[in-house]
Amino acid sequence: MRWSSRRAEVVPSPNIWYYQADYERENRAQDSGGEIWRVLREECDWTGRDVLDVGCGDGFHLPVFARDARSVLGVEPHEPLVRSALKRVAGLSNVDVRMGRAQRLPVRSASVDVVHARTAYFFGPGCEPGLAEAERVLRPGGTILIVDLDVTSEPYGGWMRADLPHYDPAAVERFFARAGFGCRRVATEWRFPAAADLEAVLKIEFSKPVAEQAIAESLQRNGNRAEDLTLPVGYRVHARRKPTGLVLPGHSAVSGEGDSSSSSPRMP
């Protein structure tokens, strides 16, 4: 995860920036039942629309959007990950990747229908510049979809709280609620082909003592078997629709689906 800060525009990711191969294992293990994707599509179906993935990393999620979207653009601040993402999507004609930051998106105003960010940048107070940029690049009727970990969900949330004692999940939820976002909790299951994969992933997500605890508890939960291990992990999906016109006090800011007929964000 990349935790945002008011003092720095780009905070190095403690995992994917330095352990890309192990983070690939993590991406492959996450949401094995597709629950996050199901909830995202319920919030906003991107079929035939233009999608922007903020903090796309090495592009793992870009091909999934590309199956149905008109165009997909990944934005990532770390140049080595941009190169990896470009390699991943090289055969997809409707996908592009650009180097950039959430606070200064290299995208024209009102040019995308969906802004998606998954465990990248948008973690509550401090992310206001990125939210403003997301609103700028969205067309009227477009949707911001933010996926983050539910730190109240056990056991993963407990390990996170041990490593981040000052992180207040309730305060983060209040922040997004005040900003007009809905919140849906999503229960998922991570699935690992082998114990070695689980251990490698937990080691890049937590400090050494917490990782050791997480590994021991996870192996015990799986009967100490060596293959096909699972781990329950909770997420939150925050969604907000951009108004299609003037919003009067006391009226809903959600109306209509927006016009997707303007030019693609991939055009220069």
Side-chain angles (χ1 to χ4, degrees), residues 223-246:
N224 291 305
R225 63 178 180 267
E227 297 180 343
D228 191 26
L229 291 82
T230 61
L231 176 62
V233 181
Y235 288 83
R236 297 175 298 198
V237 172
H238 305 283
R240 185 177 76 185
R241 183 76 55 83
K242 183 174 182 177
T244 56
L246 178 65

Tab-separated table of all heavy atoms in Angstrom, residues 223-246:
chain	number	residue	atom	x	y	z
A	223	GLY	N	-4.225	-25.392	8.950
A	223	GLY	CA	-3.823	-26.738	9.349
A	223	GLY	C	-2.381	-27.054	9.048
A	223	GLY	O	-2.012	-28.229	8.920
A	224	ASN	N	-1.538	-26.017	8.928
A	224	ASN	CA	-0.105	-26.168	8.663
A	224	ASN	C	0.182	-26.972	7.392
A	224	ASN	O	1.228	-27.606	7.273
A	224	ASN	CB	0.605	-26.812	9.863
A	224	ASN	CG	0.634	-25.886	11.056
A	224	ASN	OD1	1.094	-24.754	10.974
A	224	ASN	ND2	0.120	-26.356	12.190
A	225	ARG	N	-0.766	-26.943	6.448
A	225	ARG	CA	-0.501	-27.637	5.185
A	225	ARG	C	0.414	-26.790	4.309
A	225	ARG	O	0.534	-25.574	4.480
A	225	ARG	CB	-1.799	-27.976	4.465
A	225	ARG	CG	-2.659	-26.816	4.031
A	225	ARG	CD	-3.899	-27.316	3.281
A	225	ARG	NE	-4.744	-26.232	2.844
A	225	ARG	CZ	-5.772	-25.752	3.544
A	225	ARG	NH1	-6.052	-26.265	4.735
A	225	ARG	NH2	-6.509	-24.760	3.062
A	226	ALA	N	1.035	-27.410	3.338
A	226	ALA	CA	2.045	-26.746	2.513
A	226	ALA	C	1.480	-26.164	1.227
A	226	ALA	O	2.151	-25.368	0.566
A	226	ALA	CB	3.174	-27.720	2.182
A	227	GLU	N	0.249	-26.553	0.852
A	227	GLU	CA	-0.310	-26.112	-0.427
A	227	GLU	C	-1.746	-25.645	-0.243
A	227	GLU	O	-2.433	-26.044	0.695
A	227	GLU	CB	-0.257	-27.248	-1.456
A	227	GLU	CG	1.149	-27.700	-1.807
A	227	GLU	CD	1.152	-28.822	-2.822
A	227	GLU	OE1	0.094	-29.458	-3.005
A	227	GLU	OE2	2.208	-29.056	-3.438
A	228	ASP	N	-2.172	-24.777	-1.183
A	228	ASP	CA	-3.550	-24.288	-1.246
A	228	ASP	C	-4.002	-23.703	0.094
A	228	ASP	O	-4.892	-24.230	0.762
A	228	ASP	CB	-4.494	-25.399	-1.690
A	228	ASP	CG	-5.883	-24.859	-2.026
A	228	ASP	OD1	-5.984	-23.662	-2.385
A	228	ASP	OD2	-6.856	-25.626	-1.913
A	229	LEU	N	-3.411	-22.567	0.435
A	229	LEU	CA	-3.736	-21.881	1.680
A	229	LEU	C	-4.633	-20.688	1.394
A	229	LEU	O	-4.526	-20.044	0.337
A	229	LEU	CB	-2.461	-21.406	2.383
A	229	LEU	CG	-1.541	-22.491	2.958
A	229	LEU	CD1	-0.639	-23.063	1.872
A	229	LEU	CD2	-0.694	-21.934	4.084
A	230	THR	N	-5.513	-20.362	2.318
A	230	THR	CA	-6.404	-19.216	2.161
A	230	THR	C	-6.249	-18.264	3.345
A	230	THR	O	-5.806	-18.653	4.427
A	230	THR	CB	-7.872	-19.658	2.061
A	230	THR	OG1	-8.243	-20.347	3.253
A	230	THR	CG2	-8.080	-20.555	0.845
A	231	LEU	N	-6.643	-17.024	3.115
A	231	LEU	CA	-6.567	-15.991	4.146
A	231	LEU	C	-7.724	-15.025	3.940
A	231	LEU	O	-7.837	-14.408	2.878
A	231	LEU	CB	-5.234	-15.236	4.050
A	231	LEU	CG	-5.017	-14.057	4.999
A	231	LEU	CD1	-5.033	-14.520	6.446
A	231	LEU	CD2	-3.699	-13.352	4.665
A	232	PRO	N	-8.622	-14.872	4.929
A	232	PRO	CA	-9.715	-13.896	4.779
A	232	PRO	C	-9.198	-12.474	4.953
A	232	PRO	O	-8.481	-12.176	5.913
A	232	PRO	CB	-10.679	-14.278	5.910
A	232	PRO	CG	-9.822	-14.941	6.937
A	232	PRO	CD	-8.713	-15.627	6.198
A	233	VAL	N	-9.564	-11.594	4.015
A	233	VAL	CA	-9.132	-10.194	4.057
A	233	VAL	C	-10.318	-9.310	3.694
A	233	VAL	O	-10.962	-9.530	2.664
A	233	VAL	CB	-7.959	-9.928	3.081
A	233	VAL	CG1	-7.532	-8.461	3.166
A	233	VAL	CG2	-6.776	-10.842	3.393
A	234	GLY	N	-10.595	-8.323	4.536
A	234	GLY	CA	-11.697	-7.413	4.280
A	234	GLY	C	-11.248	-6.141	3.585
A	234	GLY	O	-10.156	-5.633	3.833
A	235	TYR	N	-12.112	-5.625	2.718
A	235	TYR	CA	-11.855	-4.375	2.000
A	235	TYR	C	-13.034	-3.427	2.181
A	235	TYR	O	-14.128	-3.827	2.592
A	235	TYR	CB	-11.672	-4.639	0.502
A	235	TYR	CG	-10.389	-5.316	0.131
A	235	TYR	CD1	-10.269	-6.701	0.210
A	235	TYR	CD2	-9.289	-4.587	-0.307
A	235	TYR	CE1	-9.092	-7.338	-0.135
A	235	TYR	CE2	-8.107	-5.220	-0.667
A	235	TYR	CZ	-8.013	-6.589	-0.580
A	235	TYR	OH	-6.842	-7.224	-0.917
A	236	ARG	N	-12.800	-2.162	1.834
A	236	ARG	CA	-13.871	-1.176	1.707
A	236	ARG	C	-13.839	-0.630	0.289
A	236	ARG	O	-12.769	-0.340	-0.244
A	236	ARG	CB	-13.685	-0.029	2.707
A	236	ARG	CG	-13.747	-0.424	4.148
A	236	ARG	CD	-13.433	0.734	5.078
A	236	ARG	NE	-12.086	1.243	4.892
A	236	ARG	CZ	-11.436	2.003	5.791
A	236	ARG	NH1	-12.047	2.345	6.916
A	236	ARG	NH2	-10.222	2.424	5.573
A	237	VAL	N	-15.010	-0.500	-0.287
A	237	VAL	CA	-15.126	0.155	-1.593
A	237	VAL	C	-15.877	1.464	-1.378
A	237	VAL	O	-17.034	1.466	-0.964
A	237	VAL	CB	-15.868	-0.726	-2.611
A	237	VAL	CG1	-16.132	0.066	-3.894
A	237	VAL	CG2	-15.052	-1.983	-2.915
A	238	HIS	N	-15.191	2.576	-1.635
A	238	HIS	CA	-15.796	3.904	-1.546
A	238	HIS	C	-16.140	4.361	-2.962
A	238	HIS	O	-15.299	4.287	-3.861
A	238	HIS	CB	-14.824	4.911	-0.922
A	238	HIS	CG	-14.301	4.495	0.419
A	238	HIS	ND1	-15.038	4.596	1.572
A	238	HIS	CD2	-13.104	3.981	0.792
A	238	HIS	CE1	-14.324	4.172	2.602
A	238	HIS	NE2	-13.144	3.788	2.150
A	239	ALA	N	-17.351	4.829	-3.158
A	239	ALA	CA	-17.776	5.271	-4.493
A	239	ALA	C	-18.486	6.614	-4.402
A	239	ALA	O	-19.267	6.852	-3.475
A	239	ALA	CB	-18.695	4.241	-5.129
A	240	ARG	N	-18.200	7.478	-5.378
A	240	ARG	CA	-18.878	8.776	-5.457
A	240	ARG	C	-19.121	9.131	-6.910
A	240	ARG	O	-18.208	9.047	-7.739
A	240	ARG	CB	-18.036	9.876	-4.788
A	240	ARG	CG	-18.733	11.232	-4.732
A	240	ARG	CD	-17.869	12.263	-3.996
A	240	ARG	NE	-16.765	12.739	-4.818
A	240	ARG	CZ	-15.809	13.565	-4.372
A	240	ARG	NH1	-15.828	13.942	-3.095
A	240	ARG	NH2	-14.846	13.964	-5.174
A	241	ARG	N	-20.332	9.520	-7.223
A	241	ARG	CA	-20.715	9.914	-8.583
A	241	ARG	C	-20.612	11.421	-8.737
A	241	ARG	O	-21.062	12.174	-7.873
A	241	ARG	CB	-22.152	9.453	-8.865
A	241	ARG	CG	-22.674	9.739	-10.268
A	241	ARG	CD	-22.102	8.800	-11.295
A	241	ARG	NE	-22.316	7.399	-10.951
A	241	ARG	CZ	-23.433	6.735	-11.207
A	241	ARG	NH1	-24.462	7.338	-11.798
A	241	ARG	NH2	-23.540	5.457	-10.890
A	242	LYS	N	-20.036	11.875	-9.838
A	242	LYS	CA	-19.956	13.306	-10.115
A	242	LYS	C	-21.294	13.792	-10.649
A	242	LYS	O	-21.876	13.165	-11.543
A	242	LYS	CB	-18.852	13.586	-11.142
A	242	LYS	CG	-18.648	15.069	-11.428
A	242	LYS	CD	-17.444	15.286	-12.334
A	242	LYS	CE	-17.205	16.765	-12.586
A	242	LYS	NZ	-15.989	16.991	-13.398
A	243	PRO	N	-21.811	14.895	-10.128
A	243	PRO	CA	-23.106	15.394	-10.603
A	243	PRO	C	-23.092	15.677	-12.095
A	243	PRO	O	-22.067	16.030	-12.679
A	243	PRO	CB	-23.313	16.683	-9.795
A	243	PRO	CG	-22.442	16.535	-8.590
A	243	PRO	CD	-21.251	15.737	-9.053
A	244	THR	N	-24.269	15.541	-12.708
A	244	THR	CA	-24.388	15.821	-14.135
A	244	THR	C	-24.800	17.258	-14.413
A	244	THR	O	-24.822	17.682	-15.555
A	244	THR	CB	-25.431	14.889	-14.773
A	244	THR	OG1	-26.676	15.047	-14.078
A	244	THR	CG2	-24.987	13.438	-14.677
A	245	GLY	N	-25.148	18.001	-13.379
A	245	GLY	CA	-25.561	19.387	-13.565
A	245	GLY	C	-25.549	20.109	-12.239
A	245	GLY	O	-24.901	19.682	-11.282
A	246	LEU	N	-26.256	21.209	-12.151
A	246	LEU	CA	-26.324	22.003	-10.937
A	246	LEU	C	-26.981	21.195	-9.828
A	246	LEU	O	-28.048	20.620	-10.011
A	246	LEU	CB	-27.123	23.286	-11.179
A	246	LEU	CG	-27.323	24.205	-9.971
A	246	LEU	CD1	-25.980	24.758	-9.511
A	246	LEU	CD2	-28.274	25.338	-10.324
